[in-house]
């Protein structure tokens, strides 16, 4: 792991770089981060967590709104990580500047104490996530998910912007092998499906898949349908919907959906057009990252970070419900020596 670090005191735009491991095929694609932060040591902790799961990171640090706006105008960034609360910054000023400059870059807030009400408000205003420094091991998972959703949103927007008429849009999307595309009637019955969707679900032909009633539950449930169409929930948040679908061989896929209404000539609802993405491997990777963050790599046992998180949850539950709980500690003498002797 290589570092090149320029302290913030000597340069207004400090830069931290990590070089990919020579010959390593397990590294992620390069990640370009912009930190809005006043503490170099905490930025370093964030980068160490990303390095643990093999992100190749180039990061820059800014400390003022003026520097932030300048860097956004001159460089492309994959993600913004902002300190909360930050000196001389209003609560969501970084988000406001992103919107003002029309930069669709995911932003994650990090801080030592983040109340639930604050987190809910920030996410409603457009933040991707909020993470306490005590639980900074969750950062790689949040980064991975934000980049995946950013890529999906950009590809969807490119498809929509490039085509005006719904029929032409459908034909173009149907040729995209990265995502499954389908069109359903008002009751969820398949009208058309793309070849990519047929392969995703393991069917032999379009006709065979169209005979299966997979989408009716998604279309007929008002809550799921609203989420499919990107409508905000009662808290004002908009999250892509993910459900499990069965392949023809009965194996399970985790599928993410984005949809839109197709209106007829008289403006009445004619059909639904749905983009599907298989995110099974992505969710498996996130589970693996969570395991890495919460468990000892040698024994697979929960580590101190996981213990602290569980205790924190139990304390808060006890304060809320009045229910008591107990903590039992066991000291296993000679555990490390016995593991070494047996070759574990």
């Amino acid at each position: 792991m290589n570092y090149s670090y320029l302290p913030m005191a000597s340069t207004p735009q400090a830069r931290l770089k990590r070089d990919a491991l020579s010959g390593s095929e397990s590294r992620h694609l390069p990640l370009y981060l912009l930190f809005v932060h006043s503490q170099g040591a905490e930025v370093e902790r964030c980068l160490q967590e990303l390095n643990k799961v093999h992100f190749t990171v180039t990061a820059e640090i800014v400390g003022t709104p003026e520097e932030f706006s300048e860097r956004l105008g001159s460089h492309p960034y994959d993600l913004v990580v902002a300190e909360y609360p930050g000196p001389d910054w209003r609560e969501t000023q970084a988000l406001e500047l992103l919107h003002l400059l029309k930069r669709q870059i995911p932003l994650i807030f990090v801080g030592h104490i983040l109340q639930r009400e604050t987190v809910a408000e920030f996410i409603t205003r457009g933040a991707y996530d909020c993470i306490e420094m005590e639980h900074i091991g969750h950062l790689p998972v949040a980064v991975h998910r934000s980049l995946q959703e950013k890529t999906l949103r950009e590809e969807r927007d490119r498809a929509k912007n490039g085509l005006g008429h719904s029929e032409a849009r459908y034909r173009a999307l149907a040729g995209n092998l990265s995502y499954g595309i389908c069109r359903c009637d008002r009751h969820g019955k398949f009208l058309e499906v793309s070849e990519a969707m047929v392969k995703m679900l393991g069917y032999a032909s379009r006709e065979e898949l169209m005979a299966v009633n997979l989408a009716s539950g998604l279309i007929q449930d008002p809550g799921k349908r609203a989420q499919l169409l990107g409508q905000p929930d009662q808290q004002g948040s908009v999250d892509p919907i993910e459900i499990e679908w069965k392949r023809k061989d009965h194996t399970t896929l985790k599928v993410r959906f984005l949809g839109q209404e197709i209106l007829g000539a008289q403006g009445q609802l004619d059909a639904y057009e749905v983009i599907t993405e298989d995110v099974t491997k992505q969710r498996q990777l996130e589970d693996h990252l969570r395991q890495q963050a919460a468990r000892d790599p040698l024994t697979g046992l929960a580590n101190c970070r996981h213990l602290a998180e569980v205790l924190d949850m139990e304390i808060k539950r006890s304060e809320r419900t009045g229910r008591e709980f107990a903590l039992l500690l066991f000291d296993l003498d000679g555990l490390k020596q016995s593991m070494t002797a047996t070759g574990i």
Side-chain angles (χ1 to χ4, degrees):
M1 180 172 61
N2 299 323
Y3 294 89
S4 61
Y5 176 60
L6 301 176
M8 286 190 299
S10 60
T11 54
Q13 289 111 11
R15 176 171 293 189
L16 289 147
K17 290 187 177 180
R18 292 167 189 259
D19 298 327
L21 296 177
S22 177
S24 172
E25 296 180 356
S26 63
R27 307 293 291 187
H28 289 269
L29 290 175
L31 180 63
Y32 204 1
L33 298 186
L34 180 60
F35 281 88
V36 180
H37 216 293
S38 62
Q39 302 295 324
E42 293 189 359
V43 173
E44 183 69 18
R45 283 184 61 192
C46 294
L47 293 176
Q48 287 174 356
E49 293 297 332
L50 294 172
N51 185 77
K52 288 179 183 178
V53 293
H54 307 305
F55 276 108
T56 301
V57 181
T58 297
E60 295 185 356
I61 308 173
V62 296
T64 68
E66 293 74 21
E67 292 175 342
F68 183 61
S69 298
E70 179 186 350
R71 300 309 294 170
L72 287 177
S74 58
H75 292 278
Y77 295 96
D78 298 305
L79 186 75
V80 173
V81 179
E83 175 186 20
Y84 173 79
D88 303 321
W89 286 78
R90 297 193 308 275
E91 285 189 338
T92 57
Q93 189 174 3
L95 271 176
E96 294 167 11
L97 289 172
L98 281 174
H99 296 158
L100 182 64
L101 296 171
K102 298 181 180 180
R103 301 298 302 274
Q104 294 188 0
I105 304 173
L107 184 146
I108 296 175
F109 281 107
V110 294
H112 287 279
I113 299 177
L114 292 167
Q115 301 295 337
R116 290 183 180 179
E117 296 78 7
T118 301
V119 171
E121 180 184 357
F122 286 3
I123 291 178
T124 298
R125 293 188 184 185
Y128 181 79
D129 206 344
C130 300
I131 300 174
E132 292 185 342
M133 289 301 298
E134 182 181 355
H135 302 149
I136 200 61
H138 295 168
L139 180 63
V141 177
V143 169
H144 180 76
R145 292 194 65 173
S146 70
L147 296 179
Q148 289 288 334
E149 292 188 13
K150 179 172 179 282
T151 300
L152 177 61
R153 184 175 61 251
E154 289 174 347
E155 293 188 7
R156 182 191 63 182
D157 289 346
R158 281 196 296 269
K160 286 185 177 180
N161 292 335
L163 299 164
H165 195 273
S166 61
E167 290 293 335
R169 178 168 60 253
Y170 180 79
R171 287 194 296 271
L173 288 173
N176 187 329
L177 298 181
S178 300
Y179 303 97
I181 312 297
C182 65
R183 180 175 291 191
C184 310
D185 66 16
R186 290 176 294 175
H187 305 290
K189 184 180 185 301
F190 286 138
L191 300 175
E192 296 179 81
V193 295
S194 70
E195 187 63 32
M197 189 169 173
V198 174
K199 291 181 179 179
M200 179 189 299
L201 293 167
Y203 286 85
S205 66
R206 287 191 174 97
E207 292 73 21
E208 185 180 19
L209 175 56
M210 288 173 63
V212 181
N213 194 18
L214 279 178
S216 60
L218 183 65
I219 298 299
Q220 294 180 15
D221 185 298
K224 291 180 180 178
R225 184 172 65 247
Q227 196 173 358
L228 169 72
L229 299 175
Q231 298 171 359
D233 58 21
Q234 294 179 347
Q235 288 72 40
S237 60
V238 180
D239 296 318
I241 184 171
E242 293 183 9
I243 63 174
E244 291 185 347
W245 264 7
K246 294 285 188 181
R247 291 169 51 91
K248 183 182 178 181
D249 61 6
H250 301 293
T251 57
T252 301
L253 295 179
K254 190 75 171 180
V255 184
R256 176 188 292 170
F257 300 88
L258 290 169
Q260 65 177 4
E261 295 178 338
I262 303 299
L263 303 180
Q266 304 300 321
Q268 77 280 9
L269 176 62
D270 189 41
Y272 295 96
E273 187 176 273
V274 181
I275 303 175
T276 65
E277 180 190 13
D278 179 6
V279 295
T280 307
K281 291 184 178 179
Q282 177 182 336
R283 296 296 170 258
Q284 290 173 346
L285 173 59
E286 290 169 2
D287 290 341
H288 177 66
L289 294 177
R290 291 190 186 96
Q291 292 291 325
Q292 285 187 320
R295 297 193 176 275
D296 178 80
L298 178 62
T299 64
L301 300 175
N303 59 19
C304 292
R305 176 186 292 140
H306 184 68
L307 173 62
E309 292 177 359
V310 172
L311 282 176
D312 181 63
M313 288 189 295
E314 287 298 326
I315 291 170
K316 291 177 180 176
R317 183 182 292 113
S318 179
E319 292 173 345
R320 186 175 64 254
T321 64
R323 188 191 70 184
E324 296 181 349
F325 73 95
L327 175 64
L328 203 59
L329 297 176
F330 292 93
D331 184 11
L332 301 179
D333 293 333
L335 175 63
K336 292 183 179 179
Q337 289 84 348
S338 62
M339 291 175 64
T340 303
T342 57
I344 297 178

